[in-house]
Amino acid sequence: MFLDMAMSLDGCISGPDGEDAGLHDWYFAETGAAEDIKAELLTRIGAIILGHTAFGTAPDGFDTEYRVPHYVLTHTPLPTVKRGGATFIFVTDSIESALSQARAAAGEKDVCVAGGAQTAQAFLNAGLVDELQLHLAPMLLGGGLRLFGDLDTVTHLERVRVVQSQHATHLTYRLREK
Amino acid sequence: MFLDMAMSLDGCISGPDGEDAGLHDWYFAETGAAEDIKAELLTRIGAIILGHTAFGTAPDGFDTEYRVPHYVLTHTPLPTVKRGGATFIFVTDSIESALSQARAAAGEKDVCVAGGAQTAQAFLNAGLVDELQLHLAPMLLGGGLRLFGDLDTVTHLERVRVVQSQHATHLTYRLREK
C-alpha cells in the first residue's frame, strides 16, 4: 500500500485557513513529467482509502478519474454510494479492515491512501505503509494541517525516485524495516 | 542571504528527544554529490548567522571548517570569542543588525543563516531570505523541532536545483517576490 499526497515544503496539506494556494497545481498541469505521474497513478491504483474529512471536503458534483472502490473511514455507518463514477464504501471498524477490503477490491493493482493527515498518520503509526509518494510543492504554507504531525517513532526511508515537474518535485520513498 | 539546513521529510531539524538520527549524514559522507555541495558551501559562505541555541549545542572542543565570522543572536551581551578557528560575535540588538554586520564581513561572498528553527523563522518572517537550501534526509523524525513552525504568510518559491546524494535530496529554492 502506498500513501500519495501533495505537501508544501513546510509539511502542510492545506494552509491555516484551509487554502490550497496552488498545492495541487501539478495534478492539473497535464504536461510533461506531471502528466506521466498522473497516468502512472491512474494505472496503478485499484482502490483508494480516504478519511471522512478528506471525503467530506470533496466539492459538490464531485467527479473522479479514479473509477475504483473508495473506502472511507468514518465513525458513522453509511450505505455505499456511487458518486461521479466511483463507489464509496464506508468503513467503521478499523484501518486494518479498510486496508483488507481495499486490497481484495484492488486485486493485482495497488491500494492508495490519499488523505487526509489523520488517516495518513494512523496508517504510518500502524506500520502499514510500504511506500510514500509526495508531490512537494514549491511553497511554505506557514501553518495549517501538517501531513505527518507527531508520529510514534522515527521512520527511516529509502529514496526510490525523484522527478521534477513544473509545479512540484515528486519524491518516492520505500519504508525500511525497523 | 541564504538559509541552509538539514531537515527530515516531516520538516524537523531534530527529533522529539533532540536526536539527529542521521539527519546530517550527508554532510559527513564526503563522497559524490554531497562532497560537491559541501565544497560549494565552503567557497560561497563569507559569514554565518546562528541562533544562540544552535550555537550553544555545538559540542565541546567545537571546530568548524567555516573559518569565517559567525554572528550569534543572543539576549546576553558577550565578548567576541575565537573557537576552533572561527570568530564568534554576539549580536543583541536585532536580526537586521546581525545581517548587516554579516554582509559587511562577507564582502563578495554570501551570508548563510545556518540555524536554528527560531532564527530561520525570524529571518523568513522579516522577508530577509533570498534563497533556501534544504538537505532533505530520508526519514520521518515523527516530531521534535520543526524548521518552519508557523510563519506569518504563504511564501511562494521557485525551484532552482535538485541534487541527489546518497544520504539526502538537496533542494534549492529562490524566494519569490510577493
Side-chain angles (χ1 to χ4, degrees):
Chain A
M1 181 270 279
F2 74 109
L3 193 67
D4 186 280
M5 297 186 73
M7 183 178 90
S8 65
L9 193 60
D10 55 345
C12 299
I13 60 171
S14 64
D17 301 312
E19 67 270 42
D20 176 276
L23 203 61
H24 294 89
D25 280 1
W26 80 268
Y27 192 81
F28 301 103
E30 308 272 6
T31 56
E35 194 172 21
D36 296 343
I37 286 179
K38 190 172 161 180
E40 189 180 74
L41 285 171
L42 281 161
T43 305
R44 177 180 183 183
I45 294 174
I48 288 175
I49 298 176
L50 286 175
H52 64 278
T53 313
F55 172 70
T57 55
D60 265 354
F62 177 76
D63 196 7
T64 174
E65 293 163 285
Y66 298 90
R67 313 221 156 189
V68 299
H70 286 56
Y71 294 85
V72 182
L73 297 161
T74 175
H75 295 294
T76 318
L78 283 169
T80 296
V81 293
K82 286 207 176 258
R83 235 166 109 179
T87 307
F88 292 81
I89 302 109
F90 298 87
V91 181
T92 55
D93 48 354
S94 67
I95 58 170
E96 288 80 5
S97 163
L99 182 55
S100 141
Q101 293 179 57
R103 278 200 175 124
E108 294 296 299
K109 296 199 170 191
D110 213 340
V111 174
C112 175
V113 171
Q118 203 187 329
T119 300
Q121 290 165 33
F123 279 99
L124 283 165
N125 282 330
L128 296 171
V129 179
D130 303 310
E131 190 186 301
L132 277 179
Q133 183 159 269
L134 296 177
H135 311 287
L136 195 66
M139 61 179 67
L140 302 171
L141 278 169
L145 192 55
R146 293 189 191 276
L147 172 53
F148 295 111
D150 290 329
L151 300 171
D152 292 347
T153 56
V154 173
T155 307
H156 289 276
L157 308 166
E158 187 186 331
R159 186 181 53 211
V160 176
R161 188 175 75 174
V162 178
V163 174
Q164 300 181 58
S165 73
Q166 195 188 341
H167 298 286
T169 307
H170 309 270
L171 304 169
T172 311
Y173 293 93
R174 202 170 291 127
L175 273 75
R176 286 214 218 146
E177 297 298 320
K178 279 167 201 160
Chain B
M1 181 270 280
F2 74 108
L3 192 68
D4 186 280
M5 296 187 72
M7 181 179 92
S8 65
L9 193 60
D10 53 346
C12 299
I13 60 170
S14 64
D17 302 312
E19 67 269 43
D20 177 275
L23 203 62
H24 295 89
D25 281 0
W26 80 269
Y27 191 81
F28 301 103
E30 309 272 4
T31 55
E35 194 172 20
D36 297 342
I37 286 179
K38 191 172 160 180
E40 188 180 75
L41 286 172
L42 281 162
T43 307
R44 177 179 183 182
I45 294 174
I48 289 175
I49 298 176
L50 285 174
H52 64 276
T53 313
F55 172 71
T57 56
D60 264 354
F62 177 78
D63 197 6
T64 174
E65 294 163 283
Y66 298 90
R67 312 219 157 190
V68 299
H70 287 56
Y71 294 85
V72 182
L73 298 161
T74 176
H75 295 295
T76 318
L78 282 168
T80 295
V81 293
K82 288 209 175 252
R83 237 166 107 180
T87 307
F88 292 81
I89 302 109
F90 298 87
V91 181
T92 54
D93 48 354
S94 67
I95 59 170
E96 288 79 5
S97 162
L99 181 55
S100 140
Q101 293 180 56
R103 277 199 176 125
E108 294 296 300
K109 296 199 170 192
D110 214 341
V111 174
C112 175
V113 170
Q118 203 186 328
T119 301
Q121 291 165 33
F123 279 98
L124 283 166
N125 282 331
L128 296 172
V129 179
D130 303 310
E131 190 187 300
L132 277 179
Q133 183 160 268
L134 296 177
H135 311 285
L136 195 66
M139 60 179 66
L140 302 172
L141 279 169
L145 193 55
R146 293 189 193 278
L147 172 54
F148 295 110
D150 291 329
L151 301 172
D152 292 346
T153 57
V154 173
T155 307
H156 289 276
L157 308 167
E158 187 187 330
R159 187 181 54 209
V160 175
R161 188 176 74 174
V162 178
V163 174
Q164 300 181 57
S165 74
Q166 195 189 342
H167 298 286
T169 307
H170 310 270
L171 303 169
T172 311
Y173 294 93
R174 203 169 292 127
L175 273 75
R176 286 214 219 146
E177 297 299 318
K178 280 167 200 160

